[in-house]
Amino acid sequence: MDKITKAKHILKAIGLPERQQADLCALSLLALAGIKKSLAWSSATNEWIRIHDIIAFVNKNYGTKYAENSRETFRKQALHHFRTAAIVEDNGLATNSPNYRWRLTEEFLSVLQANATASCIAEFNSKHERLIDVYASKKRMEMMPVKINGIDFTFSTGKHNELQKAIIEQFAPRFAPNCECLYVGDTTEKDLVKNVERLSELGFAITLHDKMPDVVLYCEDKNWIYFVESVTSVGPMDPKRIVEIKSMTENVAAGMIYVTAFHDFKTYKKFSEQLAWETEVWIAEMPDHMIHLNGDKFLGPR
């Protein structure tokens, strides 16, 4: 059995999700252990290394061609999950520090040095909850019901999604009556609702790279589109955000309304200086009112 295949078997045996059994993750494990094609698993080590070192190791020893700008992919797809599964640890420095390092935990290093036998794997699993079970448990957490376009959906819990639920159930009936929700994401499912056909008909440039606002509503009778950002910590309708949205709506003829939604007045005050002129503000704790930033109308497309 070649080293990459063996590494995948080990990752599967200790209960990592399928996505964390991919080639990139197997190669990351081999680099962390310093295992070249010709070396035995008993020679595994756990020296502190950078993601740069992982990429250099697998490119040199396994013929891959990962670019230096793929560091974030290694971090998010492999190392963060490995840390949760007690496979690796970091040295505790700030992630932007040039001295930030990763290494295998002593416990998991022992598993590899013993050739990851069934008994070693079983002992490791007896001390740690399998990551696949941890993630499954998170998915089963209490969900928030929400009705979108007359269809029942659920949002995962959290302040951001609580505000999105309020936008759909409280803002829309008051200020965008009879509208259709063309897009809304969930913190765990980015495109929970995404009516690509309708968005394309309206002239949107829909690609995988578009940074859609949190909620997009369309009122056909007025031919108005509402772009609503749900703001709890970042992302209000500032001038830069308006430019980003306009860049993907160059061919949209409908009137466009830009709204920033906040949970409360305190959060609004925090972001008030960043908000762009000619936009609207809706605050969930005062659902019957809106704040209009300049212009000759209270609410309307520009």
Side-chain angles (χ1 to χ4, degrees), residues 19-20 71-81:
R19 181 169 169 76
Q20 277 64 57
R71 290 194 303 269
E72 191 66 14
T73 304
F74 277 81
R75 181 182 292 109
K76 289 185 175 180
Q77 186 175 338
L79 294 170
H80 284 181
H81 302 277

Coordinates of all heavy atoms in Angstrom, one line a residue, residues 19-20 71-81:
R19 N -14.3 14.5 3.6 CA -13.6 15.6 3.0 C -12.2 15.7 3.5 O -11.2 16.2 2.9 CB -14.3 16.9 3.2 CG -13.7 18.2 2.6 CD -14.6 19.4 2.6 NE -13.9 20.6 2.3 CZ -13.5 21.0 1.1 NH1 -13.8 20.2 0.1 NH2 -12.9 22.1 0.9
Q20 N -12.0 15.3 4.8 CA -10.7 15.3 5.4 C -9.9 14.0 5.2 O -8.9 13.7 5.9 CB -10.8 15.6 6.9 CG -10.9 17.1 7.2 CD -12.2 17.7 6.7 OE1 -13.3 17.3 7.0 NE2 -12.0 18.8 5.8
R71 N -1.8 28.1 0.8 CA -1.6 27.9 2.2 C -3.0 27.9 2.9 O -3.2 27.1 3.8 CB -0.7 29.0 2.8 CG 0.7 28.9 2.4 CD 1.6 29.8 3.3 NE 1.1 31.2 3.2 CZ 1.6 32.1 2.4 NH1 2.5 31.7 1.5 NH2 1.2 33.3 2.4
E72 N -3.9 28.8 2.5 CA -5.2 28.9 3.2 C -6.0 27.6 3.0 O -6.7 27.2 3.9 CB -5.9 30.1 2.7 CG -7.2 30.4 3.5 CD -6.8 30.9 4.9 OE1 -5.6 31.2 5.2 OE2 -7.8 31.0 5.7
T73 N -5.8 27.0 1.9 CA -6.5 25.7 1.6 C -6.0 24.6 2.5 O -6.8 23.9 3.1 CB -6.4 25.3 0.1 OG1 -6.8 26.3 -0.7 CG2 -7.2 24.0 -0.2
F74 N -4.7 24.5 2.7 CA -4.2 23.5 3.6 C -4.7 23.8 5.0 O -5.0 22.9 5.8 CB -2.7 23.6 3.6 CG -2.1 22.8 2.4 CD1 -2.0 23.3 1.2 CD2 -1.6 21.5 2.7 CE1 -1.4 22.6 0.1 CE2 -1.0 20.7 1.6 CZ -1.0 21.3 0.3
R75 N -4.7 25.1 5.4 CA -5.1 25.5 6.8 C -6.5 25.1 7.0 O -6.9 24.4 8.0 CB -4.9 27.0 7.0 CG -5.3 27.4 8.4 CD -5.1 28.9 8.5 NE -3.7 29.3 8.5 CZ -3.1 30.0 7.4 NH1 -3.9 30.3 6.4 NH2 -1.8 30.3 7.5
K76 N -7.4 25.4 6.1 CA -8.9 25.3 6.3 C -9.3 23.8 6.1 O -10.2 23.3 6.8 CB -9.7 26.2 5.4 CG -9.6 27.7 5.9 CD -10.4 28.6 5.0 CE -10.4 30.0 5.6 NZ -11.3 30.9 4.8
Q77 N -8.8 23.2 5.1 CA -9.3 21.8 4.7 C -8.6 20.7 5.6 O -9.3 19.7 5.9 CB -9.0 21.5 3.3 CG -9.7 20.2 2.8 CD -9.5 19.9 1.4 OE1 -9.3 20.8 0.6 NE2 -9.6 18.6 1.0
A78 N -7.4 21.0 6.0 CA -6.7 19.9 6.7 C -6.4 20.3 8.2 O -6.9 19.7 9.1 CB -5.4 19.5 6.0
L79 N -5.5 21.3 8.4 CA -4.9 21.6 9.7 C -6.0 22.0 10.8 O -5.9 21.5 11.9 CB -3.9 22.6 9.6 CG -2.7 22.2 8.7 CD1 -1.7 23.3 8.4 CD2 -1.9 21.1 9.4
H80 N -6.9 22.8 10.4 CA -7.9 23.2 11.4 C -8.7 21.9 11.9 O -9.0 21.8 13.1 CB -8.9 24.2 10.8 CG -8.3 25.6 10.8 ND1 -9.0 26.7 10.3 CD2 -7.1 26.0 11.1 CE1 -8.2 27.7 10.3 NE2 -7.0 27.4 10.8
H81 N -9.0 21.1 11.0 CA -9.8 19.8 11.4 C -8.9 18.9 12.1 O -9.3 18.2 13.1 CB -10.4 19.2 10.1 CG -11.3 20.1 9.3 ND1 -12.6 20.3 9.6 CD2 -11.0 20.9 8.3 CE1 -13.1 21.1 8.8 NE2 -12.2 21.5 7.9

